[in-house]
């Protein structure tokens, strides 16, 4: 079998990009070249990998079965190259990181700057998403490292984590809202308020998973809250007067602008704890290891604290 790594890389890029055209743009190849790579791979493997007549892009049963193996082969090849480079005293390569929006905005830029100063040949790609997206990206080898909240616990128990910081939840309200007359707000202040928060919009909860427990136990939030996965959406809704926001501190810092103010929440014993995650059963390349070291060395974002030991 004369299988080429370039064919595997092209196929995985097509899957991750969601189509041939976008993959061709990202790989700086012509679309016919991308199609030729996929055809050559399918011919060598003796099976179809992609359903050509279905949109959006859909894998065949064989494609789904082989995708994780293809990612493993590419990861092993990358590790072979980076290990040799490390032996020569140079660390280079690409690191793909899954993260959530406020972590990407308020923490990762400084980490990447420090990493490039020490290892200029390492290139970092960041993919933002919610917790489910982050977990799936790490499980499916689309990324090697993830910046992720500690809760909810991942379904894959092979994930391992180093704790990074704890941040409180705060309230955001449109300028002129009566609650802004207080220097800090209490849970009882949320009675009969429309609450906008971060969470799962398909879950049967009033607010997101990280703040929901404390608020719902105390019966302080009326059952007509709005839930968004995007801090920017939450900010726009609050600024327009559609409710008050409950959001993690870094999310509030990320979106706070004119027309909106922040207040701490008194006695809300819920936090967003954040860690750096990777898969304990898969080898990490030298570039990914260097990225993890840079994350652990980096100062905690302003306004956060250390996570207390268990």
């Amino acid at each position: 079998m004369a299988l080429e790594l370039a064919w595997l890389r092209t196929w995985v890029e097509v899957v991750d990009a969601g189509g041939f055209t976008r993959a061709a743009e990202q790989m700086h190849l012509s679309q016919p070249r991308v199609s030729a790579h996929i055809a050559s791979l399918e011919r060598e493997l003796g099976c179809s990998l992609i359903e050509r007549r279905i949109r959006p892009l859909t894998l065949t049963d064989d494609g789904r079965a082989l995708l994780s193996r293809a990612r493993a082969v590419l990861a092993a090849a990358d590790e072979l190259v980076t290990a040799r480079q490390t032996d020569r005293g140079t660390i280079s390569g690409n690191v793909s990181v899954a993260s959530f929006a406020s972590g990407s905005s308020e923490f990762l830029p400084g980490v990447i700057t420090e990493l490039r100063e020490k290892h200029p040949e390492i290139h970092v790609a960041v993919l933002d998403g919610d917790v489910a997206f982050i977990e799936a990206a790490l499980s499916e080898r689309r990324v090697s490292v993830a910046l992720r909240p500690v809760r909810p616990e991942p379904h894959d128990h092979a994930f391992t984590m180093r704790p990074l910081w704890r941040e409180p939840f705060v309230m955001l309200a449109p300028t002129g809202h009566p609650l802004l007359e207080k220097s800090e707000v209490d849970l009882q202040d949320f009675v009969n308020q429309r609450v906008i928060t971060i969470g799962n919009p398909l879950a049967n909860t009033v607010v997101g998973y990280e703040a929901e427990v404390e608020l719902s136990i105390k019966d302080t939030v009326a059952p007509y809250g709005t839930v968004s996965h995007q801090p920017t959406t939450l900010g726009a809704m609050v600024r327009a007067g559609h409710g008050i926001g409950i959001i993690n501190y870094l999310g509030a810092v990320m979106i706070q602008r004119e027309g909106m103010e922040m207040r701490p929440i008194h006695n809300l014993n819920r936090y967003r704890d954040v860690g750096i995650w990777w898969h304990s059963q898969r080898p990490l390349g030298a570039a990914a290891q260097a990225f993890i070291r840079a994350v652990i060395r980096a100062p905690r974002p302003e306004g956060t604290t250390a996570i207390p030991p268990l």
Side-chain angles (χ1 to χ4, degrees):
M1 178 177 288
L3 189 149
E4 296 188 16
L5 284 177
W7 302 345
L8 281 178
R9 290 193 189 280
T10 300
W11 176 45
V12 170
E13 187 64 41
V14 167
V15 173
D16 291 345
F20 286 72
T21 302
R22 190 172 179 186
E25 293 172 353
Q26 293 179 352
M27 299 186 74
H28 305 291
L29 298 175
S30 68
Q31 190 165 334
R33 183 72 177 275
V34 169
S35 297
H37 280 189
I38 303 300
S40 297
L41 180 62
E42 290 177 324
R43 184 170 56 252
E44 200 65 35
L45 293 175
C47 64
S48 295
L49 300 172
I50 296 173
E51 297 282 6
R52 299 303 201 279
R53 295 171 293 180
I54 300 177
R55 296 292 183 274
L57 184 137
T58 303
L59 295 180
T60 64
D61 290 342
D62 287 324
R64 285 189 291 273
L66 292 172
L67 182 59
S68 62
R69 298 179 185 179
R71 294 190 192 278
V73 169
L74 293 174
D78 290 342
E79 169 63 15
L80 181 66
V81 172
T82 56
R84 177 56 181 157
Q85 292 171 338
T86 303
D87 291 342
R88 298 199 304 264
T90 301
I91 299 179
S92 65
N94 300 319
V95 182
S96 294
V97 182
S99 181
F100 56 97
S102 58
S104 298
S105 171
E106 304 302 316
F107 177 68
L108 286 184
V111 171
I112 295 172
T113 297
E114 189 275 339
L115 182 67
R116 284 180 174 172
E117 288 175 354
K118 190 169 185 177
H119 303 291
E121 296 184 29
I122 293 179
H123 303 283
V124 180
V126 179
L127 301 112
D128 281 347
D130 59 25
V131 172
F133 169 85
I134 294 170
E135 180 167 352
L138 193 55
S139 290
E140 296 167 7
R141 298 178 187 261
R142 283 181 278 162
V143 301
S144 53
V145 185
L147 193 68
R148 180 192 186 277
V150 173
R151 293 185 299 275
E153 292 186 7
H155 294 91
D156 191 336
H157 297 296
F159 285 6
T160 190
M161 181 268 295
R162 283 286 299 271
L164 296 176
W165 72 75
R166 165 170 287 184
E167 55 184 295
F169 287 91
V170 297
M171 182 199 76
L172 287 175
T175 301
H177 194 286
L179 288 181
L180 294 176
E181 296 176 3
K182 306 179 68 171
S183 60
E184 64 178 18
V185 294
D186 295 304
L187 293 176
Q188 292 300 320
D189 291 325
F190 300 141
V191 171
N192 296 324
Q193 295 282 350
R194 181 180 292 275
V195 171
I196 308 170
T197 190
I198 301 296
N200 179 359
L202 301 180
N204 184 25
T205 57
V206 175
V207 294
Y209 56 80
E210 292 172 302
E212 177 268 336
V213 176
E214 186 76 13
L215 296 176
S216 60
I217 285 175
K218 297 178 182 296
D219 296 323
T220 58
V221 181
Y224 46 75
T226 302
V227 184
S228 170
H229 272 308
Q230 297 298 331
T232 51
T233 300
L234 181 149
M237 291 290 184
V238 170
R239 196 174 297 108
H242 296 306
I244 60 173
I246 300 176
I247 186 172
N248 58 301
Y249 175 79
L250 292 184
V253 171
M254 169 187 168
I255 62 177
Q256 189 177 12
R257 298 196 300 272
E258 185 178 353
M260 190 165 53
E261 296 181 41
M262 181 197 314
R263 293 291 185 272
I265 304 173
H266 184 59
N267 287 335
L268 177 59
N269 298 314
R270 296 282 159 178
Y271 308 91
R272 168 169 283 194
D273 291 341
V274 176
I276 182 75
W277 299 75
W278 61 93
H279 202 291
S280 64
Q281 297 178 356
R282 299 171 188 162
L284 282 172
Q289 293 179 38
F291 176 82
I292 291 172
R293 290 194 296 270
V295 166
I296 293 172
R297 286 196 306 266
R300 290 189 299 272
E302 185 177 352
T304 69
T305 59
I307 299 175
L310 296 178

